[in-house]
Every structure is written in structure tokens, then in C-alpha cells.
Amino acid sequence: MSTMWFIFAVLTAFAWGAANLYYKKGSDPGDPTSHLKIVVMIGFVMGIHAVSYMLIKGITFDVWNMVLYFPVSFMYILSMTLGFVGLRYIELSIAAPVQNSAGAITAILLMIFFPTSISALEIFGIVIVTAGVIMLARYEQTHDHEIMLQSGETFDPKYKLGFLAITFPILYALIDGVGSFLDGVYLDKKQWMSEDNALLAYEFTFLICAILVYLYLKFIKKEDFKIFKQKDRGIAALLETAGQFFYVFAMAGNAMIAAPLIASSGIFSVLLSRIFLKEVLSKKQYALIAAVMIGIIALGIAEEL
């Protein structure tokens, strides 16, 4: 059972990597409330999962847990919403390298506030995974721009790398990194809450946010938003919820290593794009993916030693 956190971390990365494909398909650059609709779908799916999980496992949930866990829930929901908003001002390929540094921020915070021994192999794995993920996202940005220039396309003027644009991914990385740090404190370092209670507290909090946003869209913005017709956003929400389920158990097992490992979800997005969207990968992309996989394997071996 000692290695289960590692398996959960990999499953989280895979689920969230797959979710990114459907976030891309479900995003609408011409819709100023697109990010809010994604929040609604995630919240409703998480709410359904929370109720089902509670009933199936026979858990008696104390609503007070939502209050105790609110600092973590708030950080996650805020960072996700800012990330969705930011995509209206900056390309995903530019935002990704910054956002993917959240896992490193979490690991650094945990090492500062909870000093613990860490092996050379674990350090190697964390560095390789984090560097590989950031370099891969950075490469995709450069590669996409080269293709656009060769084809004579012009850059969308709304994607400007100005102060406002770059602020969103930076805020995402900082807030998500702090949120994951707090999760590590709650679930791993201090064990203030069980995995089940943390999962339910977060999902019910997200459900409340989704209901409020849905009411805002329907009655204030007068949007004709039909939940059951949101196929791509719905699939993305299912994958997001699955990832969240695995995430809390991964963070409870070893938050310091799990956080940067989960940040590798980007490589799964690239691999799945190659498989399902038939995107052609370059030799450099394969090399970076291989490097990240080596880092993941190193972390797995370190856990067994």
C-alpha cells in the first residue's frame, strides 16, 4: 500500500492530461462567459460524484468540513477560474510553461516549512519531471509560432504577451502551488482531515460555486445555457473529477513528490493528442517526453528503495 500514492499521482496526471484535450475542444474564444460554463460543468459533475461517493461508502459527512477545508478549496477554484479566464488573453502554449511550475512551487514550500530528508534519486526525478514539462510546453509555443509564420497566418491580436496577459498564468501557478501546499499540510504533514472528507468538502464547495454561477448566467447574463448539451465540457468535467478523486489520495501519501509528478499531466495531453488527434510529434518532443518518463520512473524506484 506504500506505493499507492505514486499510482494515484500518475492516474491524476493522466486524467487531467486527458481533460485538457476536451477543455481545448470545449473552449470558445468568441464566448466571454466560456470560462464560467466550464466552472458550472465541473461543479455539477463533482456534486453528483460527491453525493454518489458518500452514499456508496456510507459516509456521514459533516458540513463543518467544508469550512475547515475552505482555504484549500478556495485556492483551487480561484486558480482554475483564473486559468480559464487567462486563455482569453494569452495562448495556452505560452501559459502552460508558467502554470506547470505550480508543482515545483508546492515542493519548495513543503521543503521550507516541513524540512525532511529526500534522496538524490528523488531530487533527480523532481528536477527532470519539472524541467521536462516546462521545456515541452515552451517548445510547443515556439513550434506553433513557427508553423503560423510559415503558413502566412497572423497572430490573433487578443493574444498579447503584455502585463495583463502574463499575470494570469503567474497567478495560477502561485495560487495553485499554495493550494497544493495547503493540501499537503491538511492531508499529509498534519493530517487534519481524511482523504474522504477532503474530497467531499472540495466537491460540495465546487457544486455551490457552480450553482451560483449557473444562476448568474441564466438570470443576469440571460444566457441560453443547456447543461445536457455541453458534450466536450461535460467530458472534461468527468475527467477533472476523476483526477481530483485520485489527487487527494496521492497528496495524502507523499505531497512533496506527488505535486511535481502530477504537474506532468502535460505530457499525457501531448501523447493523447498524438493518438486521438493524429498530431505529429517532433524528435525533440519525443525526447522531452522520454526525459519526463525517466523522471517519473526514477520517483517510482525511489519509493521502492
Side-chain angles (χ1 to χ4, degrees):
M1 290 297 292
S2 62
T3 60
M4 284 304 295
W5 71 265
F6 178 81
I7 296 173
F8 286 135
V10 174
L11 289 173
T12 301
F14 180 81
W16 284 349
N20 285 336
L21 293 182
Y22 287 94
Y23 284 138
K24 291 179 183 179
K25 293 179 68 176
S27 63
D28 183 359
D31 183 358
T33 60
S34 179
H35 61 290
L36 296 178
K37 291 170 182 174
I38 294 175
V39 170
V40 170
M41 293 307 299
I42 294 174
F44 280 163
V45 171
M46 284 192 174
I48 293 170
H49 175 263
V51 173
S52 302
Y53 187 73
M54 185 174 62
L55 294 176
I56 292 172
K57 293 201 67 174
I59 299 172
T60 301
F61 181 69
D62 187 349
V63 178
W64 179 246
N65 287 325
M66 293 174 65
V67 178
L68 294 177
Y69 198 68
F70 183 75
V72 185
S73 299
F74 176 76
M75 289 292 182
Y76 285 151
I77 296 172
L78 178 60
S79 66
M80 288 178 66
T81 304
L82 286 174
F84 295 142
V85 173
L87 293 180
R88 293 164 53 190
Y89 299 98
I90 187 170
E91 290 173 294
L92 178 61
S93 56
I94 299 176
V98 182
Q99 292 180 348
N100 288 342
S101 64
I105 292 173
T106 301
I108 291 170
L109 288 174
L110 287 170
M111 283 189 279
I112 292 174
F113 290 97
F114 299 93
T116 184
S117 60
I118 182 170
S119 69
L121 189 57
E122 287 174 323
I123 294 174
F124 169 78
I126 291 174
V127 171
I128 290 296
V129 168
T130 303
V133 167
I134 294 175
M135 288 175 64
L136 180 61
R138 178 65 181 174
Y139 169 79
E140 289 181 342
Q141 171 214 342
T142 305
H143 184 64
D144 289 348
H145 286 185
E146 288 177 353
I147 291 176
M148 290 179 70
L149 289 172
Q150 291 172 4
S151 62
E153 295 181 47
T154 57
F155 298 113
D156 191 325
K158 74 173 182 174
Y159 292 133
K160 7 181 219 308
L161 193 58
F163 176 77
L164 176 64
I166 197 63
T167 296
F168 284 106
I170 290 175
L171 287 175
Y172 173 93
L174 290 174
I175 296 171
D176 187 71
V178 172
S180 294
F181 163 71
L182 291 176
D183 231 348
V185 174
Y186 274 67
L187 300 175
D188 182 17
K189 301 303 181 183
K190 295 295 186 179
Q191 297 183 349
W192 288 336
M193 188 173 291
S194 70
E195 295 94 326
D196 285 343
N197 283 330
L199 177 66
L200 293 174
Y202 176 66
E203 293 188 333
F204 280 130
T205 301
F206 216 132
L207 173 62
I208 292 173
C209 289
I211 293 172
L212 293 175
V213 173
Y214 177 77
L215 293 174
Y216 169 76
L217 290 173
K218 290 291 287 187
F219 299 107
I220 297 179
K221 298 296 290 184
K222 307 297 182 181
E223 291 263 358
D224 184 24
F225 180 47
K226 296 180 174 59
I227 293 176
F228 295 103
K229 291 188 177 181
Q230 307 295 315
K231 180 182 177 181
D232 291 329
R233 291 169 181 156
I235 295 174
L238 287 170
L239 291 167
E240 183 73 37
T241 302
Q244 186 63 38
F245 172 78
F246 297 126
Y247 175 81
V248 294
F249 293 100
M251 293 297 286
N254 191 333
M256 187 181 296
I257 309 299
L261 178 58
I262 290 168
S264 68
S265 60
I267 70 162
F268 291 103
S269 295
V270 174
L271 289 173
L272 290 170
S273 295
R274 172 67 182 88
I275 296 170
F276 294 105
L277 302 181
K278 307 301 181 183
E279 294 183 358
V280 178
L281 303 184
S282 68
K283 291 181 180 179
K284 188 169 184 179
Q285 283 176 304
Y286 279 119
L288 289 171
I289 289 171
V292 174
M293 294 304 296
I294 289 172
I296 292 174
I297 292 170
L299 291 173
I301 294 173
E303 179 62 19
E304 292 289 344
L305 296 179

